[in-house]
Amino acid sequence: MTDSVHAEMDGASRQTSIYVYETPVRIWHWINALAITVLCITGYFIGSPPPSMQIAEATHQFVFGYIRFAHFAAGMILTVFFIGRIYWAFVGNHHAKQLFYIPFWRGEFWKEVWFEIKWYLFIAKEPKKYVGHNPLAQLAMFCFITLGMTFMIVTGMALYAEGAGQGSFYDKLFGWVIPLVGGNSHVLHTYHHLGMWWIIVFMIIHIYVAIREDIMSRQSIVSTMISGHRTFKDDRAD
């Protein structure tokens, strides 16, 4: 752990809770979760379209159009709030910065990552206390959210730019992406769709781990992203 975390741990042993996640971070988290959910559902149907309905003429239906609209709208919301989240990493507290960097040069960081892996595999018997993300969570957030979301935004906007047409605003910003995959947008579609499953895998693990920690650990996880305060259930500190 860093010295600053050690200091906070000492404080954690003397107080009920510590304020960790500021309001903008919590708002971003839940809007991001909602946007990702909409994107995954609509993205699945875009990749595997539902059968057409026979109750009316095709010209009177707009089901797939609504699916695409919801996907594009959620994508825009996710992008805008992700840019806002990057901004808050610079002006917020140091917990707001954890999402965007990995101290890979520190041997102690990787030792704690290994400890957390053992804890989640039920090998380690006692959890460690962390005020912010534990090292394994920080690594996962960086790989799945920071890198994963950046990839999904760039590839998604590139596909949207193709529909918007050459010379459009989106084409000027993201028109360089499709040529990177040989100019074949179908290849980019495949990568974008695989990225969706990458995010889905993370969401499943993330929800499981958060609930598991609330039950088995001595610190709040789920409620922390609602109230902003991390509560420690006893006065023992690692």
Side-chain angles (χ1 to χ4, degrees):
M1 293 186 212
T2 63
D3 290 338
S4 61
V5 175
H6 267 308
E8 287 185 283
M9 288 291 85
D10 292 339
S13 65
R14 296 191 298 270
Q15 56 186 303
T16 302
S17 65
I18 297 176
Y19 187 63
V20 180
Y21 298 121
E22 299 161 300
T23 300
V25 173
R26 304 197 309 274
I27 292 175
W28 168 81
H29 175 274
W30 294 111
I31 291 179
N32 190 59
L34 179 60
I36 288 176
T37 301
V38 173
L39 284 164
C40 288
I41 294 173
T42 55
Y44 175 80
F45 283 121
I46 289 173
S48 303
S52 60
M53 297 180 293
Q54 303 301 321
I55 60 175
E57 290 292 333
T59 53
H60 297 157
Q61 300 179 41
F62 198 63
V63 175
F64 199 72
Y66 289 130
I67 292 173
R68 282 166 51 85
F69 174 78
H71 191 79
F72 296 154
M76 296 297 179
I77 291 171
L78 180 139
T79 301
V80 169
F81 275 86
F82 187 60
I83 294 172
R85 182 65 179 82
I86 293 173
Y87 165 76
W88 197 257
F90 290 97
V91 301
N93 62 24
H94 71 271
H95 299 296
K97 300 174 175 61
Q98 280 191 299
L99 190 70
F100 297 99
Y101 78 97
I102 294 296
F104 59 86
W105 59 89
R106 290 180 47 238
E108 186 65 23
F109 173 82
W110 296 106
K111 289 180 181 178
E112 295 193 7
V113 166
W114 175 239
F115 176 86
E116 290 302 314
I117 291 174
K118 291 189 294 182
W119 163 244
Y120 290 131
L121 292 176
F122 300 94
I123 296 174
K125 295 182 179 180
E126 291 291 333
K128 288 189 175 182
K129 287 183 177 181
Y130 296 94
V131 176
H133 292 306
N134 68 56
L136 181 59
Q138 184 177 356
L139 179 63
M141 291 287 184
F142 179 79
C143 293
F144 284 89
I145 296 298
T146 304
L147 298 183
M149 192 175 296
T150 299
F151 174 81
M152 294 301 284
I153 289 173
V154 171
T155 56
M157 288 297 181
L159 293 169
Y160 188 81
E162 184 182 41
Q166 291 186 347
S168 65
F169 171 77
Y170 296 98
D171 181 62
K172 291 177 181 178
L173 289 180
F174 299 97
W176 53 271
V177 179
I178 292 181
L180 293 180
V181 293
N184 189 339
S185 63
H186 291 290
V187 174
L188 195 62
H189 270 284
T190 300
Y191 290 153
H192 190 69
H193 197 70
L194 289 174
M196 177 194 75
W197 289 108
W198 175 263
I199 298 297
I200 288 175
V201 168
F202 166 77
M203 289 175 62
I204 294 172
I205 296 173
H206 177 62
I207 293 171
Y208 159 72
V209 168
I211 295 175
R212 177 188 185 276
E213 286 299 277
D214 260 354
I215 295 172
M216 298 187 62
S217 185
R218 300 190 300 271
Q219 53 204 307
S220 64
I221 301 296
V222 177
S223 61
T224 300
M225 198 50 73
I226 297 174
S227 67
H229 292 267
R230 173 141 294 159
T231 301
F232 297 91
K233 297 182 175 72
D234 62 27
D235 59 359
R236 290 176 292 173
D238 296 308

